[in-house]
Amino acid sequence: MEIFVQQLLNGLTLGSVYSLVALGLTLVYGILHVPNFAHGAFYMMGGFVAFHLMTKVGLGYWWAMGGAAIVVAILSMLAELLVFKPLSKAPPLHDMIAAIGIMLFLEAAAQLIWGADFQRMPTPYDSMVNVMGITISAQRLLIIVGAFVLVTLLHLFLNKTIIGSTIIAMAQNKEGAALVGIDPIRVTYLVFAVAGILAAVAAVLYAPINLVYPAMGQLVITKAFVIIVMGGMGSFAGAIVGGMIVGFAESLGGYYISPDYKDIIAFLMLVLVLSIRPEGLFSKGAR
C-alpha cells in the first residue's frame, strides 16, 4: 500500500508539470487555433535561463525562477510579433511550420550557448519530507503545491478580472471579441506572455529532478498535445484533468508494468479516451 501511495504522489508530480504546460498550450491554441509546437522550446528555455542565473550569475532559486519567467514571456511575445503576427492571414499550416521553425531555432541556440550536455539544476529543496508516513522529496512537494497555486491564480485571473474575461472572450470568438471593443493585439500578447510564464515555471519546478538539456521540451510538449486533445481542444479544465490522467497513468504503469513503456502510456490513454469520447473529455471552450 505504501508503494502504491508513493506512485500516486509521483503521478501527481508528473501531472502537475504536464497540466501547467498544457494550460499554456491551451491558451495559445485559443488565439492561434493551431498547435504551437514552439511551446516546448519555451519550456526548455525556461529551464536553461534559470540554470544560467543560478550557476553563472549566482541568483537564488526563486529569483532565477522569476528571471526565467520574464525572459520566456518576452521570447513568447517576440515569437508572436516576429513570426505569428505576419502570418495572421496565411493558412493555419504556415503557423504550424513556423512554430516548428521556432522550436528548432531555440534548441540550436540553447545548444550553442549552453552545450548539448545534460545539466543538473541546483535546488535548496533537496531534503526528504514525510507526508502521512510517505517519504517524498521537498522538490516534488514543491511542484505539487506550486502547480496548485498557479492553477488557482490563473483561474481567478481568468474568471474574476476584466482582463481575464477578455482572454476568455478572445479564446471563444476572436472576431466577436474585436467587435465589442476588445483589443485583439494586446490580448494576444498577454496570452503569449502568460503561456510563456507557465512553461518557464513548470520547467524550473521540474528541472532539479529531471535535468536540463536542449531537447527537454520535445517529450513534454508531445505529451501536452496528447493532453489537450484528450481533454478537449481549447478546454482549460480538460488540460488539468488530462494532465493528471497522463501523470497517474505513467507513474502507475511505469512501476507496475514496465518503465520501458512509460512514455507510450500517454498515447494509449489518448486512443482509449478518444475511442469512447471522440470530442475529448470536455467540450471546446475556455472554462
Side-chain angles (χ1 to χ4, degrees), residues 221-232:
I221 196 61
T222 302
K223 291 177 181 178
F225 280 123
V226 170
I227 289 165
I228 66 171
V229 172
M230 182 192 304

Side-chain angles (χ1 to χ4, degrees), residues 38-279:
H39 196 64
F42 296 141
Y43 170 89
M44 175 271 299
M45 289 300 294
F48 265 117
V49 170
F51 171 78
H52 182 86
L53 292 176
M54 294 181 70
T55 59
K56 305 298 182 182
V57 181
L59 295 183
Y61 181 79
W62 293 104
W63 286 106
M65 179 185 289
I70 293 172
V71 170
V72 176
I74 293 173
L75 286 176
S76 186
M77 289 188 290
L78 284 175
E80 159 62 15
L81 174 65
L82 301 177
V83 179
F84 295 119
K85 185 178 179 181
L87 295 174
S88 59
K89 303 297 183 181
L93 179 61
H94 292 199
D95 284 326
M96 294 177 62
I97 295 173
I100 295 174
I102 295 172
M103 178 188 70
L104 295 175
F105 172 79
L106 290 178
E107 287 184 0
Q111 186 168 335
L112 178 65
I113 297 171
W114 293 290
D117 296 334
F118 288 69
Q119 309 283 353
R120 181 170 296 279
M121 181 184 293
T123 174
Y125 305 100
D126 54 1
S127 59
M128 304 302 293
V129 179
N130 189 284
V131 180
M132 295 182 293
I134 303 299
T135 301
I136 182 174
S137 70
Q139 186 66 37
R140 289 183 180 272
L141 190 61
L142 178 63
I143 292 172
I144 297 170
V145 174
F148 176 80
V149 171
L150 275 177
V151 169
T152 301
L153 291 176
L154 181 63
H155 173 77
L156 293 175
F157 172 69
L158 293 174
N159 293 279
K160 302 297 182 180
T161 67
I162 296 176
I163 298 176
S165 299
T166 63
I167 293 177
I168 293 178
M170 281 279 291
Q172 291 175 337
N173 191 322
K174 191 174 182 179
E175 291 75 17
L179 289 175
V180 297
I182 296 174
D183 184 354
I185 297 176
R186 184 178 66 179
V187 174
T188 299
Y189 284 129
L190 177 61
V191 166
F192 272 85
V194 171
I197 290 171
L198 289 173
V201 172
V204 179
L205 286 173
Y206 195 43
I209 60 176
N210 198 48
L211 304 178
V212 182
Y213 53 99
M216 63 183 285
Q218 292 182 6
L219 189 57
V220 170
I221 196 61
T222 302
K223 291 177 181 178
F225 280 123
V226 170
I227 289 165
I228 66 171
V229 172
M230 182 192 304
M233 298 294 283
S235 171
F236 295 160
I240 298 171
V241 174
M244 291 301 170
I245 290 175
V246 171
F248 285 127
E250 281 191 10
S251 179
L252 294 173
Y255 181 81
Y256 289 106
I257 300 176
S258 171
D260 295 333
Y261 301 110
K262 179 175 68 71
D263 293 326
I264 302 176
I265 291 175
F267 300 97
L268 294 178
M269 293 297 299
L270 175 64
V271 172
L272 176 63
V273 169
L274 294 185
S275 64
I276 300 172
R277 189 175 175 84
E279 68 276 20

